Amino acid sequence: MRVNSKEIEILQIIEENGRISINTLSKMLDLSEEEVENILKKLQKEKVILSYSAVIDWSKVHDHENVTAVIDVKVTPQRGVGFDDVAERIYRFPEVKALYLMSGAYDLSVVIEGKSMSQVARFVSEKLSTLESVISTTTHFQLKKYKHDGVVFEDGEEDRRIVVTP
């Protein structure tokens, strides 16, 4: 789909702030609110805009922190469809938060969330590894999140040291 410069500007703005108001967008782009609404509807209809989301620091919410794992998966591609069929089977599992076709030593990178490490391990052993196209997996557990979708996770503590130079 071809998009014009105003549509690109809208996409860039809402990618940074999905909660920005139509009114603010229209002022920033020198368009009417109706024009902005029509552009957004068009981009949603064409599936350029897929969803609006918030980045949550779940480590600050008591009893709601999950375990996140990135699983490297080596698969045998299927004749005629390549990796698409096995990827579709994998992304349909509710635990799967993201799935990417990769270059390099592994074919797919799967990001999953679970309540515990054992729940993630069960997913790998009972669901992922049992798929006939899957040759091998390597699981990496996320220990700490520093930055996600361009948002830096900070403790809020500023460095209060005084810079001393000779």
Side-chain angles (χ1 to χ4, degrees):
M1 171 185 175
R2 293 213 180 265
V3 292
N4 63 39
S5 61
K6 290 293 185 185
E7 292 168 339
I8 292 288
E9 284 184 78
I10 287 175
L11 290 170
Q12 290 171 333
I13 293 168
I14 65 170
E15 186 176 41
E16 286 294 316
N17 179 5
R19 293 187 58 168
I20 194 166
S21 70
I22 301 288
N23 181 275
T24 304
L25 266 174
S26 68
K27 289 176 184 173
M28 290 172 73
L29 300 168
D30 196 28
L31 295 171
S32 71
E33 288 186 25
E34 184 179 346
E35 289 173 307
V36 171
E37 284 178 0
N38 289 337
I39 290 171
L40 288 171
K41 285 178 187 172
K42 172 189 167 192
L43 294 170
Q44 291 167 359
K45 182 181 177 198
E46 294 293 325
K47 303 228 184 269
V48 174
I49 299 172
L50 298 174
S51 73
Y52 299 86
S53 63
V55 178
I56 311 292
D57 187 351
W58 286 106
S59 68
K60 295 184 178 177
V61 181
H62 184 65
D63 290 338
H64 281 83
E65 192 170 7
N66 288 327
V67 174
T68 301
V70 178
I71 307 165
D72 297 327
V73 184
K74 192 169 195 96
V75 300
T76 304
Q78 301 296 314
R79 184 180 301 273
V81 293
F83 297 99
D84 294 344
D85 277 0
V86 70
E88 184 176 346
R89 289 185 69 192
I90 293 170
Y91 73 61
R92 291 192 180 278
F93 290 118
E95 298 91 341
V96 175
K97 300 302 174 195
L99 175 63
Y100 307 98
L101 179 62
M102 305 297 287
S103 65
Y106 290 89
D107 303 307
L108 299 172
S109 181
V110 183
V111 180
I112 71 162
E113 282 186 1
K115 294 287 181 198
S116 66
M117 289 176 117
S118 62
Q119 186 180 27
V120 171
R122 277 194 306 278
F123 170 81
V124 173
S125 64
E126 296 172 8
K127 294 180 179 179
L128 189 59
S129 295
T130 60
L131 297 174
E132 62 186 57
S133 298
V134 173
I135 298 169
S136 66
T137 64
T138 303
T139 303
H140 310 275
F141 287 96
Q142 175 185 298
L143 301 178
K144 184 176 180 179
K145 191 180 292 188
Y146 293 102
K147 185 175 182 179
H148 181 79
D149 283 346
V151 177
V152 175
F153 288 64
E154 296 180 6
D155 289 344
E157 292 284 327
E158 288 186 35
D159 188 356
R160 297 176 188 238
R161 295 178 290 178
I162 299 172
V163 177
V164 178
T165 56

